Amino acid sequence: MDKGRGLLIVLSGPSGVGKGTVCSALRSQSQNFVYSVSATTRAPREGEVDGVNYFFKTKAEFERMIEQNELLEWAEYVNNYYGTPRAYVEEQLDKGNDVFLEIEVQGALKVKEKFPEGVFIFLAPPSMEELKNRITTRGTETDESLKNRLSVAKEEIGMIEHYDYAVVNDEVDLACDRIKAIITAEHCKSRVNQYKNMI
Ligand code: 5GP
C-alpha cells in the first residue's frame, strides 16, 4: 500500500518548556520525519547556525517573504517575526514524508485553518514555577524579556483547547516517547480511510 500524503505534525508550547531539546532528541531517535526550518528576524543565540536552527533574516527580507506569499504562516512573537517557509513543507508532504513544525500558538492556529487534518501537539510544563525556572536557568533572556515570555506563556497555555494532544515535558525521553506514540497512532488512524477507499 502506498504511504499516501505525509502527516503535518505541529508542536507548540511556551518558551522555555524545552521544545528545542525535545525536537533535537526526537531528531536523533527517529529519522521518520523531516523538520521544517523557520525564518526569523531574531538574532542568533550562541551556537545557532543559519539554515539549521533558523534562516536568520532582516526585517526587510522577512517582509519580502510575506509579500511574495512564501510563508505558510507567520507570527510576531516578543517583537520578532517567525514564519514557516511554505515550499519545503508542501514538497515533503507530497512526497509522503511527515513534516514536523515547531511553532508558537498563533502560527499553529493559522496552520490549522489550512491543514485541519494536521496533528496538533502542545508541549506543556509540569507547572508554571518549573517553566520560570527553566527560562531563568537558560540565561538567554533579559529581565524584560523574561517577563514578556512568561506572560505570553500564560496566554499560550490558555489556547491548549485548540490542540489534539497535551504532552507534559517532565522528562525529555518520556516526552519523546509520547510524541512518537501519538504519531504512530495517527498513522494507524489515517490507514482507516486508505482501506475504506480500497473497497
Ligand atoms: P525562540 O526565539 O525561543 O527560538 O522561539 C520563540 C517562539 O517562536 C517559540 O515558541 C517557537 O516555537 C516559535 N517559532 C519558531 N519558528 C516559528 C515559525 O516558523 N512560526 C511561528 N509562528 N512560530 C515559530
Side-chain angles (χ1 to χ4, degrees):
M1 178 180 277
D2 95 70
K3 63 178 179 169
R5 209 161 186 245
L7 289 178
L8 183 63
I9 303 145
V10 178
L11 183 78
S12 305
S15 168
V17 74
K19 291 185 301 277
T21 316
V22 168
C23 285
S24 332
L26 273 176
R27 246 181 226 242
S28 61
Q29 292 174 16
S30 173
Q31 311 302 321
N32 292 342
F33 25 83
V34 298
Y35 290 82
S36 155
V37 178
S38 297
T40 185
T41 57
R42 123 158 130 56
R45 294 191 186 120
E46 211 183 312
E48 285 185 332
V49 177
D50 189 37
V52 176
N53 304 90
Y54 281 105
F55 295 110
F56 294 101
K57 302 285 177 193
T58 62
K59 200 163 177 244
E61 285 169 336
F62 198 99
E63 283 168 351
R64 190 203 54 78
M65 292 177 84
I66 298 174
E67 270 163 35
Q68 311 273 311
N69 199 22
E70 287 174 23
L71 299 173
L72 182 63
E73 61 72 38
W74 62 273
E76 212 172 334
Y77 181 89
V78 198
N79 304 323
N80 278 302
Y81 286 138
Y82 294 82
T84 307
R86 173 198 303 282
Y88 181 76
V89 172
E90 290 185 343
E91 258 165 48
Q92 294 296 325
L93 290 175
D94 288 344
K95 279 189 192 164
N97 293 329
D98 293 346
V99 180
F100 205 94
L101 304 184
E102 189 241 291
I103 63 177
E104 55 66 61
V105 174
Q106 307 166 62
L109 295 185
K110 287 186 211 154
V111 173
K112 201 171 177 187
E113 282 168 21
K114 293 179 189 158
F115 291 89
E117 71 285 10
V119 182
F120 293 81
I121 306 175
F122 194 91
L123 192 67
S127 66
M128 283 310 283
E129 206 44 45
E130 176 58 22
L131 183 66
K132 194 171 169 188
N133 285 342
R134 289 183 192 176
I135 300 181
T136 318
T137 320
R138 186 166 77 182
T140 51
E141 308 307 323
T142 59
D143 281 356
E144 170 85 22
S145 159
L146 172 65
K147 233 170 97 191
N148 272 338
R149 282 184 183 245
L150 277 173
S151 94
V152 173
K154 280 196 185 149
E155 280 171 32
E156 288 181 324
I157 295 172
M159 305 293 273
I160 203 162
E161 61 175 307
H162 298 287
Y163 286 77
D164 302 309
Y165 298 96
V167 166
V168 179
N169 186 20
D170 43 3
E171 271 181 51
V172 173
D173 283 344
L174 291 179
C176 288
D177 287 347
R178 292 171 189 134
I179 293 170
K180 285 186 283 186
I182 290 168
I183 296 170
T184 304
E186 288 287 335
H187 273 289
C188 296
K189 196 193 261 181
S190 65
R191 286 272 177 232
V192 171
N193 285 329
Q194 273 184 288
Y195 276 98
K196 271 195 213 159
N197 295 336
M198 271 167 52
I199 312 163

